[in-house]
Amino acid sequence: MLIVGLDPSKKEPLYEQIYTCIKEEIRTGALPFGSKLPSARRMAKHLDVSRNTVDLAYGQLVAEGYIESKPKRGFYVCQVEELAALNIPIKKEEEETEVKEEIIPFDFSPNGVDMTQFPYHIWRKILKEIMIDDNSELFQKGNYQGDLELRRAIMYYLRQSRGVHVNTNQIVLGAGMENLLFDLRQMLGNHQIVGIENPVYPNAYAILNELGFGIQPVSMDEDGLSVSELEKTCANLAYVTPAHQYPTGVVMPVGRRSQLIHWAKEKEERYIIEDDYDSEFRYHGKPIPALQGLDQSDKVIYMGTFSKAIAPAIRISYMVLPQKLVPVYKEKCSAFSCSVSRIDQRILTLFLSEGHFEKHLNRMRNIYKEKHDCLLKCMKEMPVDTKISGQGSGLHVIADFNISNDASFQQKLEAEGVKIYPLSKYYIQGKPEKEQYILGFTRMEKKDIIEGTRKMKEVLFQLN
């Protein structure tokens, strides 16, 4: 009788112990090819376990090809002795260690959101409801543009809150901007030239560059991207963030928007890519309407995301195509599956349609406004003539500390555990005449904003 040692005290189920023992006997050659195993009934009696336990072990061994079942004859070992001969020692390679984010006591990063306010209980409740229903449809492939119910919910949201002219057939879902820009490249073809804001959102620049788009940096002025400079380039696409330019915070006025739309209308192949990344957060007055809502010529490709409003890990972004590009998208991109999990799509659909998103957004807008106002109040107490711009909306402001020794200023701040972000790092080409700094506030508690700015004040006293 085959010797199988069982240990009921182990967490491993008995059938797995039987399976593992027999598999190792076969792999080492102790059970050679053609050997007959005891019947399941006999093995169960010998080990004093249920017949079902042995059946499970034998079934797994059959499925993996270690043994085979011959009708009316029993179970026999398959031809696998070569596994024993190939006893090659496996070199244990050094495991990759997770790179942990550096902990900075007073980090005025413009990235990230306040995750202490994430509605975990609602998200968990919706997920539980979805899984209880045993909805097998969610595990099917789904529509390549994204589920219709979610696109419909996004359509209503964009119409009401952003003034976007949109129907469900224009909306394409993707797991982040990179997927949507990939779709655009497939639709419009290679050798596309993009006029891009300078300074710019670094991720957008990196993705466009990696996807093979030609990059034409276009300078900014007090009204946003300079259309007169854009006209001097060979760009046929313009990438802009008109509601709250990243990183300067400039809001593009309606006059400049009209000029940009006119530029796009001049040639058939020209389009504007409007990245509306954080328009939900405006603290004074009404939200700025989307550029797409002003466009009557079907020239704006509108992009948005839920990463800023909900959480960075909610990798659901969306693109609203001009109607004339919808057939092109279907022709050239329908072979690609939607990159967003259908379970995540269903959660977000219910989160939107049941009113949870609006409540969460209102709560976050109030929280961020308090932090925004706290930061502005603290900045007024600086010992030098500090100018603030880009305030009133978004998730960061720009500070001009009016100092000459920027390198020493940053070094002394870092020594105090304070990190701020030079605007010059966001330029693709050239540098600003005078260094300014990005100050984010979303991930910080108010007490840390107060303490961090107090340390700034001390350093400025030392330098003056």
Side-chain angles (χ1 to χ4, degrees):
M1 174 61 71
L2 175 67
I3 300 175
V4 177
L6 299 180
D7 185 354
S9 65
K10 286 185 176 180
K11 291 183 178 180
E12 186 182 22
L14 294 177
Y15 86 89
E16 285 192 16
Q17 295 184 43
I18 297 170
Y19 152 81
T20 301
C21 183
I22 295 175
K23 183 179 76 170
E24 289 306 310
E25 291 285 288
I26 295 171
R27 285 171 60 89
T28 59
L31 275 176
F33 166 59
S35 297
K36 183 179 181 181
L37 270 62
S39 68
R41 187 184 301 276
R42 188 179 172 196
M43 178 67 84
K45 184 177 180 180
H46 173 70
L47 296 176
D48 193 24
V49 297
S50 71
R51 167 73 180 275
N52 187 53
T53 299
V54 178
D55 285 341
L56 284 171
Y58 277 15
Q60 186 65 31
L61 290 164
V62 169
E64 294 183 17
Y66 286 100
I67 64 175
E68 61 178 333
S69 175
K70 296 183 178 181
K72 298 182 180 180
R73 294 178 60 190
F75 294 94
Y76 291 82
V77 176
C78 295
Q79 181 74 47
V80 290
E81 294 99 331
E82 63 270 19
L83 291 175
L86 293 173
N87 189 21
I88 302 172
I90 300 174
K91 181 181 178 181
K92 186 176 181 181
E93 297 182 2
E94 184 178 348
E95 291 187 3
E96 182 181 355
T97 56
E98 183 179 359
V99 179
K100 294 186 177 180
E101 185 179 356
E102 180 186 3
I103 297 175
I104 302 167
F106 308 100
D107 186 1
F108 288 86
S109 171
N111 302 317
V113 300
D114 187 346
M115 287 305 299
T116 63
Q117 303 299 321
F118 183 78
Y120 293 100
H121 62 293
I122 295 173
W123 206 263
R124 188 163 45 242
K125 177 176 174 288
I126 294 174
L127 177 59
K128 186 178 179 181
E129 289 173 357
I130 291 172
M131 301 312 292
I132 284 176
D133 289 341
D134 292 334
N135 191 348
S136 60
E137 183 188 349
L138 293 179
F139 294 89
Q140 302 297 326
K141 189 174 181 181
N143 190 294
Y144 59 92
Q145 283 186 238
D147 286 353
L148 178 58
E149 288 187 2
L150 178 54
R151 286 187 283 130
R152 185 177 289 118
I154 292 173
M155 176 188 73
Y156 290 137
Y157 167 68
L158 291 178
R159 284 179 179 178
Q160 294 167 8
S161 68
R162 303 296 301 124
V164 172
H165 302 308
V166 55
N167 291 310
T168 54
N169 71 321
Q170 296 173 261
I171 298 175
V172 178
L173 303 181
M177 180 186 288
E178 56 270 31
N179 285 280
L180 299 176
L181 290 176
F182 172 82
D183 285 344
L184 267 186
R185 192 195 66 177
Q186 294 300 113
M187 291 163 52
L188 303 177
N190 297 326
H191 313 298
Q192 300 295 316
I193 308 297
V194 184
I196 194 168
E197 298 165 329
N198 186 40
V200 69
Y201 176 49
N203 282 13
Y205 166 69
I207 294 166
L208 288 165
N209 192 49
E210 187 66 27
L211 288 173
F213 287 88
I215 305 295
Q216 287 281 348
V218 180
S219 299
M220 301 277 300
D221 59 27
E222 65 274 9
D223 290 335
L225 179 135
S226 171
V227 176
S228 60
E229 186 174 322
L230 176 67
E231 290 172 340
K232 297 175 184 177
T233 72
C234 55
N236 59 306
L237 299 173
Y239 171 88
V240 292
T241 51
H244 186 248
Q245 200 276 335
Y246 194 100
T248 65
V250 169
V251 176
M252 185 180 288
V254 67
R256 180 61 56 85
R257 293 178 184 224
S258 298
Q259 291 175 21
L260 188 58
I261 291 171
H262 180 73
W263 168 87
K265 288 169 61 178
E266 286 181 337
K267 292 187 178 180
E268 181 66 26
E269 71 276 10
R270 286 181 177 175
Y271 289 97
I272 301 163
I273 303 172
E274 178 183 11
D275 185 355
D276 206 21
Y277 69 100
D278 72 349
S279 59
E280 294 90 354
F281 300 107
R282 186 166 179 79
Y283 311 119
H284 304 288
K286 294 182 179 180
I288 304 297
L291 171 65
Q292 195 264 13
L294 297 175
D295 176 35
Q296 301 297 321
S297 54
D298 213 26
K299 282 291 188 176
V300 177
I301 300 165
Y302 179 88
M303 290 187 171
T305 179
F306 290 99
S307 295
K308 296 288 187 183
I310 303 178
I314 308 299
R315 300 288 295 161
I316 303 181
S317 299
Y318 50 88
M319 173 169 64
V320 177
L321 295 172
Q323 281 289 3
K324 67 178 74 172
L325 288 181
V326 172
V328 181
Y329 171 78
K330 291 182 176 180
E331 177 189 348
K332 297 189 176 182
C333 299
S334 59
F336 300 103
S337 299
C338 180
S339 54
V340 183
S341 157
R342 295 196 69 202
I343 294 176
D344 289 341
Q345 291 188 57
R346 183 61 181 161
I347 295 172
L348 184 55
T349 300
L350 295 176
F351 194 71
L352 286 165
S353 59
E354 293 178 357
H356 303 301
F357 178 65
E358 185 178 358
K359 291 177 183 176
H360 174 68
L361 200 54
N362 288 336
R363 181 168 61 252
M364 296 311 300
R365 193 181 288 117
N366 289 332
I367 289 170
Y368 288 160
K369 182 181 184 301
E370 288 181 8
K371 294 182 179 184
H372 167 273
D373 293 349
C374 175
L375 177 58
L376 293 186
K377 181 181 178 182
C378 292
M379 296 306 293
K380 288 180 180 178
E381 301 172 358
M382 292 296 148
V384 295
D385 182 20
T386 302
K387 295 179 180 179
I388 301 296
S389 59
Q391 69 269 38
S393 60
L395 308 177
H396 68 271
V397 300
I398 304 295
D400 179 355
F401 290 99
N402 195 26
I403 54 176
S404 55
N405 195 339
D406 292 291
S408 177
F409 179 53
Q410 292 180 62
Q411 289 174 1
K412 288 181 180 295
L413 283 179
E414 288 179 8
E416 294 292 329
V418 178
K419 186 169 184 180
I420 57 178
Y421 295 79
L423 187 62
S424 58
K425 300 291 185 182
Y426 293 78
Y427 278 75
I428 308 170
Q429 190 179 83
K431 296 292 181 183
E433 295 180 3
K434 193 176 183 182
E435 186 64 276
Q436 299 177 73
Y437 295 91
I438 298 176
L439 303 179
F441 49 82
T442 56
R443 294 167 60 183
M444 301 181 73
E445 295 182 24
K446 284 198 292 183
K447 64 180 181 62
D448 293 328
I449 293 174
I450 294 169
E451 181 62 16
T453 51
R454 187 189 66 79
K455 290 179 177 294
M456 288 183 205
K457 189 191 304 183
E458 289 180 351
V459 171
L460 288 170
F461 267 124
Q462 294 172 18
L463 293 174
N464 285 280

